[in-house]
Amino acid sequence: MKFVEEYRDPQTARNLLAELARTVTRPWVIMEICGGQTHAIVKNGLDQLLPGKIELVHGPGCPVCVTSLELIDKAIAIALVPNTIFVSFGDMLRVPGSHKDLFMAKSEGADVRIVYSPLESLKIARENPDKRVVFFAVGFETTAPGNAMLIAQAEREKLTNFSLLVSHVLVPPAMSALLLSPQNRVQAYLAAGHVCSVMGYHEYEPLASSFKVPIVVTGFEPNDILAGILAAVKQLETGRAEVENMYPRVVTREGNLPAQEQIKRIFEITDRAWRGIGVIPQSGLRLRPQYSQFDAEKIFDVGHLKAKESPDCISGQILQGLKKPHQCSQFGTRCTPQSPLGATMVSSEGACAAYYAVRKFRPVG
Amino acid sequence: MCLAVPGKIVERHEENGLAMGTVDFAGTTVSVCLAYVPEAEIGSYVIVHAGFALNVLDEEEANKTLALFDEIDELTKRSQEIQPK
């Protein structure tokens, strides 16, 4: 595939690793924010190939993982309301709620449907005018433009049976929270390439300068990730702390302006609870008041739900990079993708799922 | 959710007032919303995410990155000549 294979070339990977070995002189801790990058790293064994002095730590860039337990419980409650069609991306169906997940609700008779593109949920709404259709709008800034478009379209088409259950989260406030934490030992960050392709990377410049950490915008192919790590290490070794773009074929400093405008038109910033982490101020998006007729949380009164997290799940520590999946006492035994205790074992971007897929029960080498 | 590979736009049309297109990922074609990449043309490579094209791939920048990899290849070769193992 064009623009893909070249960034997976094994000889280039070996060369990048050799250059890393020549450059690094002392231990460094680097965090990749995005769950998609975590999966690419673990799948390609990149963390095992790096010189021993470089430690990679996994971040909270898994929107499915950080969707609050309360919202999962609400989603399930809405799905179980008669004459409702609940539409979602596939990952969300196995995320454990307090008592069950969406997949179990489906087996109890709820009409829960999986889509690849959010636009399909509009099609479902058009085709089922007598049902209320709710789309679970989960994601970072990467899916916000698509979900914003749903509202713009629903408004244009004057749909009265369509709404969003919004669980959008933003990367820069999460990074601030991690950087402010007294337990933080991360010295450089790989910023999520596709989030930056939408938002640009100017928002990271104040973070790099005030916290004095290199932030390198990084892609997802193995060589993109190695190149991002190399750039971060070069900065660390020379005492620099800048935002650097190692994914320029897709990311520009300004990002995608039409997408940003649409996001601002439809959504506003709000405080948000991150599962396993807690409330991070100004870290989420919600629908603006003029779109409340499309806001599922306002339309459906699902009562006061008391959320109950599994006492054994350490997802929160994993999402903050404080522990790794194989350090969890339940990993691979009581907690597997078939019977997950937490979202990080379920999501295609969850660190636990990534480790389980390669049977990574302990560090190698 | 973040994972996306580049695909080539092979066709454009409008549907329900939205700019849509067909994007070819090495043989597999998918229907994609092109509303956020107004500058994209037939033949452009785009990064697609959950049914929406979010960016047009900059081929010049792509080649610059590959040139950087070639430079590192050179560095590696030279250092191996200095210290043959």
Side-chain angles (χ1 to χ4, degrees):
Chain A
M1 275 186 74
K2 199 178 169 193
F3 298 120
V4 171
E5 247 96 63
E6 311 93 311
Y7 304 93
R8 293 181 183 173
D9 177 68
Q11 187 52 49
T12 303
R14 281 190 277 272
N15 297 337
L16 287 163
L17 286 162
E19 178 68 0
L20 260 166
R22 284 191 293 273
T23 311
V24 71
T25 64
R26 42 194 157 137
W28 299 112
V29 179
I30 300 175
M31 174 185 270
E32 87 281 353
I33 300 282
C34 179
Q37 289 167 338
T38 307
H39 271 251
I41 287 165
V42 173
K43 193 173 85 166
N44 292 289
L46 297 180
D47 52 343
Q48 297 172 40
L49 294 169
L50 291 173
K53 291 194 173 74
I54 300 174
E55 186 192 340
L56 283 184
V57 150
H58 314 306
C62 168
V64 169
C65 305
V66 301
T67 295
S68 75
L69 185 55
E70 290 76 9
L71 263 172
I72 301 286
D73 288 344
K74 264 196 192 151
I76 294 166
I78 291 172
L80 287 165
V81 170
N83 290 316
T84 305
I85 303 176
F86 195 83
V87 187
S88 170
F89 294 132
D91 302 61
M92 297 307 295
L93 261 68
R94 299 297 322 281
V95 173
S98 297
H99 308 288
K100 58 178 94 163
D101 56 38
L102 279 167
F103 200 72
M104 288 178 214
K106 189 176 160 77
S107 69
E108 287 170 25
D111 191 346
V112 179
R113 303 193 197 178
I114 296 173
V115 294
Y116 159 68
S117 165
L119 287 173
E120 296 170 68
S121 65
L122 282 178
K123 184 163 181 280
I124 294 171
R126 284 181 213 115
E127 290 171 357
N128 294 274
D130 54 329
K131 300 257 162 86
R132 288 192 290 186
V133 176
V134 182
F135 181 68
F136 207 172
V138 171
F140 279 95
E141 294 92 323
T142 342
T143 50
N147 293 332
M149 187 62 82
L150 292 184
I151 299 297
Q153 268 306 93
E155 196 183 39
R156 195 179 312 154
E157 294 180 35
K158 298 188 170 55
L159 292 178
T160 54
N161 64 333
F162 181 76
S163 61
L164 292 188
L165 182 63
V166 179
S167 176
H168 271 292
V169 277
L170 302 169
V171 172
M175 278 184 67
S176 288
L178 291 173
L179 284 160
L180 285 166
S181 162
Q183 296 163 301
N184 181 45
R185 2 169 248 126
V186 176
Q187 296 156 308
Y189 292 82
L190 303 185
H194 292 143
V195 167
C196 292
S197 78
V198 173
M199 303 302 289
Y201 55 82
H202 52 88
E203 293 176 296
Y204 299 91
E205 288 160 358
L207 288 174
S209 56
S210 20
F211 292 98
K212 311 245 183 310
V213 282
I215 300 177
V216 180
V217 181
T218 302
F220 296 82
E221 296 302 334
N223 295 340
D224 288 318
I225 294 176
L226 287 173
I229 296 170
L230 178 59
V233 170
K234 284 194 161 155
Q235 285 205 41
L236 288 166
E237 290 283 338
T238 53
R240 285 182 292 135
E242 293 154 11
V243 179
E244 198 173 339
N245 182 9
M246 291 305 288
Y247 195 29
R249 64 189 187 274
V250 170
V251 176
T252 60
R253 186 175 175 272
E254 303 67 40
N256 183 327
L257 295 175
Q260 290 171 31
E261 274 155 27
Q262 185 79 299
I263 294 173
K264 273 202 203 85
R265 196 173 299 137
I266 306 290
F267 292 110
E268 59 188 14
I269 294 180
T270 180
D271 295 343
R272 207 166 264 299
W274 290 53
R275 189 169 185 176
I277 297 174
V279 174
I280 301 181
Q282 306 284 284
S283 67
L285 294 176
R286 67 174 172 213
L287 287 171
R288 288 187 179 275
Q290 60 264 41
Y291 299 109
S292 29
Q293 75 268 36
F294 300 115
D295 191 339
E297 282 196 89
K298 301 213 162 70
I299 296 169
F300 291 86
D301 177 18
V302 287
H304 187 70
L305 300 163
K306 195 142 189 288
K308 201 174 131 271
E309 198 69 84
S310 156
D312 300 312
C313 178
I314 63 163
S315 288
Q317 293 183 69
I318 290 177
L319 290 163
Q320 294 176 76
L322 302 169
K323 284 251 161 79
K324 297 218 166 65
H326 61 265
Q327 295 172 306
C328 172
S329 59
Q330 314 299 313
F331 177 75
T333 53
R334 268 186 67 217
C335 185
T336 65
Q338 290 71 37
S339 57
L341 292 178
T344 45
M345 183 56 92
V346 163
S347 173
S348 60
E349 294 178 302
C352 300
Y355 274 52
Y356 189 87
V358 301
R359 299 296 183 274
K360 202 171 157 76
F361 288 91
R362 59 185 172 283
V364 176
Chain B
M1 209 167 287
C2 249
L3 287 172
V5 277
K8 186 159 82 165
I9 299 177
V10 295
E11 176 271 331
R12 298 188 63 122
H13 62 275
E14 214 180 72
E15 215 174 285
N16 296 309
L18 275 180
M20 298 290 294
T22 306
V23 175
D24 180 1
F25 297 92
T28 308
T29 54
V30 176
S31 178
V32 168
C33 180
L34 302 176
Y36 293 122
V37 286
E39 72 280 21
E41 299 161 339
I42 306 235
S44 299
Y45 278 83
V46 285
I47 295 285
V48 176
H49 207 74
F52 284 82
L54 294 177
N55 289 92
V56 177
L57 200 133
D58 185 330
E59 302 199 24
E60 207 182 295
E61 288 293 348
N63 290 327
K64 278 192 206 159
T65 301
L66 294 176
L68 174 71
F69 290 168
D70 287 339
E71 256 177 59
I72 294 180
D73 184 29
E74 272 309 305
L75 279 170
T76 304
K77 284 205 185 98
R78 260 185 274 143
S79 86
Q80 280 166 354
E81 278 157 26
I82 296 166
Q83 287 161 35
K85 286 219 159 89

